[in-house]
Amino acid sequence: MIEAIYYNGTIYTMIREGASVSAVAVSGGRIEAAGTDEEILAMAEKHTYLCDLKGRCVVPGFTDSHCHLMATGLDLIRLDLRGVRSWDEIIVRGRAFIEEHPPAPGEWVIGYGFDHNIFDDPILPDIHVAESISTQYPVFLDRICGHVGTVNRKVLEIAGYDDDTVVTGGVLDKDENGHLNGILREAALDYIRRLVPVPDVNMLARSAKKTMDIANSFGITSMHTDDLESADFDSVMAAYDLLKSRGEMTVRVWEEVQQPRVPQLKNFLQRNMTTGWGDEYFRIGNIKILTDGSLGARTAYMRQDYADDPGNRGVAVYTQEALDEVVELGHRSGMQMAFHAIGDGAVEQCVRAVEKAQNAWPQKKLRHRIVHCQIAGRDLLERLAAAGIGADIQPAFTASDAPLVGSRLGKEREQESYMWKTMLDVGMTIGGGSDSPVETLNPLWGIYCAVTRKDGEHKPEGGWHPTERLSVYEAVSLYTRGGAYMSFDEKEKGQIAAGYLADMAVLSKDIFKTDPEEIADISVELTIMGGKICYEKDHSARS
C-alpha cells in the first residue's frame, strides 16, 4: 500500500551532486519510488496521503553525528550560565535560580554553559563563586566544553577530595597555599558527574523528548548521542524504551556508550550488545572514550606546549599503554570505537592504538572514529585515513573557536587545525555533529560554518583559513551521507531513493541555490520521519 506521496518539490537525492526528483512515494515507512510527479502520482491509492511540496527544496533527514541528547534536554531545566560575562553574574543567576527552584533534599544545583574566555576578566570561576551561590546545597558549575568545572566545599566533601587527592587522568587545581580551589578538570570532574543524583526515568524520557522536538524543528531525524554522562546505562535504556512504548521516538538514536576502562568495558560486553544491536529507533553504537579535554580550557592534549601557556600540553587522560588495552578489547570484540580527541597529541595516541589493534586483529570494517579531531596535521590525517578511521566534526566550532586558536597554538600550528577539506582530500569519511548542548543542534548553522568558515557576523572577511572551506554539497553530505555511513546505514539513510527510510527535511529555500552567506537563515518547514510528518513549522507536530 502506498501510504503517502510527496510531490511538486525539488527533492535532492544526494546520490550524487545535483541529482534531483520531484516526487516520492512511501510504503511501510520507506521510499517505494522516486521520480517525476506524473510517475509517482500514478501510484496513488484511495487512502494515500498526498502532500504538495509547492516547489520547495527537500533533502534527506539530517543526522547529527555527535551530540548529548539527554544532557541537552536536562540543561534546559537547570541553571543556565550561557552568555555570562563575570563571576558576579554567575552568582546572581545562581542565587535567583535557587530562589525560583528550591532544591529538594539531596538535590544538587547544577549550572551549565559558562565560558570564561568571554568574561570581562577571563579567569575561571573558583570555589568562592560556588560557595557564594550556596553553602547549603552541593553546587556544580560546568564550563560549556564539559571538561572543566567548579564546585563548592559540599561537593568536595561528597567526593572525598582533599589537598592530597590524586586522580589519574584528571587535575584538581590548587590555590597559592596548596589548597583545593574548587576547579576540577577531566577525570577529576568526570567522577563528580557520577556522584550527581541520577534523574528518574520519567525525567530522562521528558528531557530526551524535549530535545527530539527541537531536533525535529531543525530537520534532524537521526542522532548519535552520548547519554551516559546524564545517567547510568540501564536508566538510559529504560527512558528510550518508555518513549518507544508511547510512540514518541521521532529521532533514530545511535547510542555512544562511555566505558572508559577495561573492567567497565568487560562488564558491558557481557550484555552481548555489540555495535548495531537494536531496532530502527534505538541501536547500540560505539564505545566512547574521552582521551583529552578542550582547547578553551587548555586541556586538549597537544604534541607541543600551548603557545600562551608554556610548559602545558594539556591533559592526556590515558597513557598509551592503557589506551592500547581498552582499544584492543573493544576492537576484537567487534565494537566501533569513538575517541573524543581534540589535540594532536590525543589524536596521535588514538591512531597508534587503532593501528596496534588492527595489526593484531585485522578488521577495518568497524569504522572507528575520532570525535572533534580539531588539531591534527596532514601527517596524522593520512594515518587516520589509512587505518579506516573517520571523524565526527563540528563545523560550528570554527565560528566559536577561531578567535582562540591563534593565541593557544601560535600562527604556525594554527594552520593545522579544523582541516575539513584536507580530511576529504586524504580519503577520510567525515560526519557533521553539533556536540549539543555545546553548540546549537541546527545543522543549517553547521553547514553555513563549513561552507563560509565565518561567524554569525559574517567575519572574518573571506573566511577563516578559507582553503579548508567545503562546497555546499560536501557540507550537506556531512549531515546526510556522512552520518549514515558512520552508523553503517549508507543503504538505509542519507539519500532519497527506493528502499531507503523515508526521512526527509523540507527547507524554506533551495540550499544549493542560496547565497552561502544566507544558508544560516534557511528554516525547516517540514520534517518527515518514516514517511510521516513529525514537525511542521508554525503548527503542532503531527504523527
Side-chain angles (χ1 to χ4, degrees):
M1 174 183 173
I2 301 301
E3 298 158 358
I5 288 176
Y6 294 88
Y7 68 99
N8 188 26
T10 304
I11 303 172
Y12 291 97
T13 66
M14 294 301 292
I15 294 172
R16 60 183 178 278
E17 186 170 2
S20 68
V21 295
S22 62
V24 296
V26 177
S27 176
R30 293 179 178 269
I31 295 171
E32 181 72 18
T36 66
D37 286 353
E38 183 179 12
E39 292 168 337
I40 302 304
L41 286 171
M43 300 172 66
E45 302 172 23
K46 182 178 180 180
H47 299 291
T48 299
Y49 168 70
L50 301 178
C51 179
D52 183 354
L53 295 168
K54 301 177 181 177
R56 291 175 294 188
C57 171
V58 182
V59 294
F62 294 124
T63 292
D64 188 315
S65 65
H66 176 70
C67 67
H68 305 270
L69 191 156
M70 287 185 177
T72 299
L74 288 170
D75 283 341
L76 293 173
I77 58 177
R78 289 174 171 166
L79 168 60
D80 185 2
L81 297 178
R82 283 168 287 200
V84 296
R85 304 287 304 211
S86 68
W87 289 16
D88 287 343
E89 192 173 350
I90 291 176
I91 294 168
V92 169
R93 286 199 195 183
R95 289 175 175 173
F97 180 84
I98 291 173
E99 187 174 340
E100 294 170 13
H101 310 280
E107 190 175 348
W108 292 33
V109 176
I110 301 175
Y112 170 77
F114 76 86
D115 180 359
H116 69 290
N117 292 307
I118 67 170
F119 288 5
D120 298 327
D121 188 7
I123 299 174
L124 282 167
D126 63 15
I127 196 167
H128 301 295
V129 175
E131 288 278 302
S132 296
I133 291 173
S134 178
T135 58
Q136 179 182 357
Y137 307 108
V139 175
F140 170 23
L141 309 176
D142 202 2
R143 189 182 180 276
I144 192 166
C145 64
H147 293 272
V148 62
T150 302
V151 300
N152 65 357
R153 289 188 178 88
K154 264 198 173 298
V155 174
L156 293 177
E157 291 168 4
I158 292 170
Y161 285 169
D162 60 29
D163 295 343
D164 298 320
T165 300
V166 175
V167 176
T168 302
V171 178
L172 296 86
D173 285 15
K174 297 180 180 180
D175 62 23
E176 63 275 10
N177 298 313
H179 301 307
L180 296 182
N181 66 3
I183 298 173
L184 307 174
R185 305 171 192 263
E186 303 311 329
L189 188 67
D190 293 337
Y191 179 63
I192 298 299
R193 295 188 201 283
R194 295 196 290 272
L195 298 177
V196 175
V198 176
D200 64 31
V201 170
N202 283 314
M203 180 179 286
L204 290 173
R206 288 197 303 273
S207 69
K209 182 54 182 165
K210 187 183 291 284
T211 304
M212 288 180 185
D213 289 344
I214 296 170
N216 292 155
S217 74
F218 291 135
I220 296 171
T221 53
S222 293
M223 301 174 83
H224 301 184
T225 172
D226 173 5
D227 292 317
L228 297 196
E229 292 176 334
S230 300
D232 62 271
F233 181 80
D234 290 324
S235 296
V236 168
M237 289 284 289
Y240 285 121
D241 284 344
L242 183 58
L243 291 174
K244 282 195 286 185
S245 71
R246 294 173 177 171
E248 295 179 352
M249 289 287 289
T250 55
V251 163
R252 306 183 195 276
V253 169
W254 178 262
E255 186 63 43
E256 301 187 326
V257 184
Q258 272 204 51
Q259 301 295 309
R261 301 289 171 179
V262 167
Q264 292 136 313
L265 180 51
K266 283 182 175 178
N267 287 337
F268 174 78
L269 292 172
Q270 289 176 1
R271 295 173 181 263
N272 294 317
M273 294 177 173
T274 55
T275 295
W277 179 94
D279 56 32
E280 65 178 277
Y281 295 106
F282 177 92
R283 286 191 292 154
I284 296 297
N286 48 58
I287 297 298
K288 172 79 179 300
I289 303 293
L290 293 164
T291 66
D292 71 346
S294 72
L295 194 65
R298 294 190 187 87
T299 55
Y301 180 48
M302 310 300 298
R303 293 194 281 194
Q304 302 174 49
D305 292 357
Y306 280 90
D308 58 357
D309 191 11
N312 176 24
R313 293 191 177 187
V315 177
V317 176
Y318 293 83
T319 64
Q320 187 67 57
E321 294 74 17
L323 186 61
D324 290 348
E325 186 180 11
V326 71
V327 170
E328 181 176 354
L329 175 58
H331 178 86
R332 65 183 169 84
S333 300
M335 296 296 301
Q336 182 188 70
M337 307 296 290
F339 307 90
H340 166 106
I342 287 179
D344 54 4
V347 173
E348 186 168 39
Q349 280 190 313
C350 296
V351 72
R352 282 176 179 167
V354 171
E355 287 169 344
K356 184 175 181 180
Q358 292 276 24
N359 287 335
W361 305 86
Q363 49 173 334
K364 292 187 180 180
K365 63 182 181 180
L366 293 177
R367 302 179 185 178
H368 301 315
R369 58 171 92 171
I370 304 289
V371 180
H372 308 312
C373 202
Q374 289 169 223
I375 317 299
R378 190 181 183 97
D379 63 317
L380 286 177
L381 299 183
E382 289 175 345
R383 286 175 67 183
L384 291 171
I389 303 172
D392 281 329
I393 68 170
Q394 289 66 47
F397 285 179
T398 57
S400 54
D401 285 0
L404 283 176
V405 180
S407 62
R408 291 283 190 272
L409 304 182
K411 291 300 180 183
E412 183 177 343
R413 282 191 293 161
E414 184 180 4
Q415 307 300 317
E416 296 188 340
S417 60
Y418 310 78
M419 298 174 68
W420 313 148
K421 188 72 170 181
T422 301
M423 289 179 182
L424 292 178
D425 290 346
V426 300
M428 289 178 65
T429 296
I430 54 178
S434 64
D435 204 19
S436 177
V438 176
E439 299 283 354
T440 174
L441 281 167
N442 189 359
L444 291 160
W445 170 246
I447 292 167
Y448 161 82
C449 292
V451 171
T452 67
R453 306 273 292 197
K454 295 183 179 181
D455 63 17
E457 297 180 351
H458 304 287
K459 296 178 180 178
E461 184 71 27
W464 181 60
H465 297 314
T467 56
E468 296 295 337
R469 290 181 303 194
L470 300 184
S471 70
V472 176
Y473 178 74
E474 289 168 338
V476 173
S477 292
L478 293 179
Y479 296 91
T480 54
R481 298 182 60 160
Y485 182 85
M486 289 186 164
S487 58
F488 305 90
D489 287 320
E490 66 270 26
K491 295 183 180 179
E492 299 273 316
K493 304 176 187 175
Q495 299 181 45
I496 297 175
Y500 281 68
L501 291 165
D503 298 351
M504 297 173 283
V506 181
L507 309 182
S508 61
K509 293 182 180 178
D510 190 326
I511 192 168
F512 295 102
K513 296 179 180 177
T514 297
D515 183 335
E517 299 282 334
E518 298 176 2
I519 286 176
D521 298 326
I522 296 174
S523 62
V524 173
E525 300 199 338
L526 289 176
T527 300
I528 300 156
M529 179 179 168
K532 298 179 180 180
I533 295 172
C534 61
Y535 167 79
E536 186 171 7
K537 188 178 180 181
D538 301 326
H539 291 79
S540 298
R542 301 185 298 180
S543 60

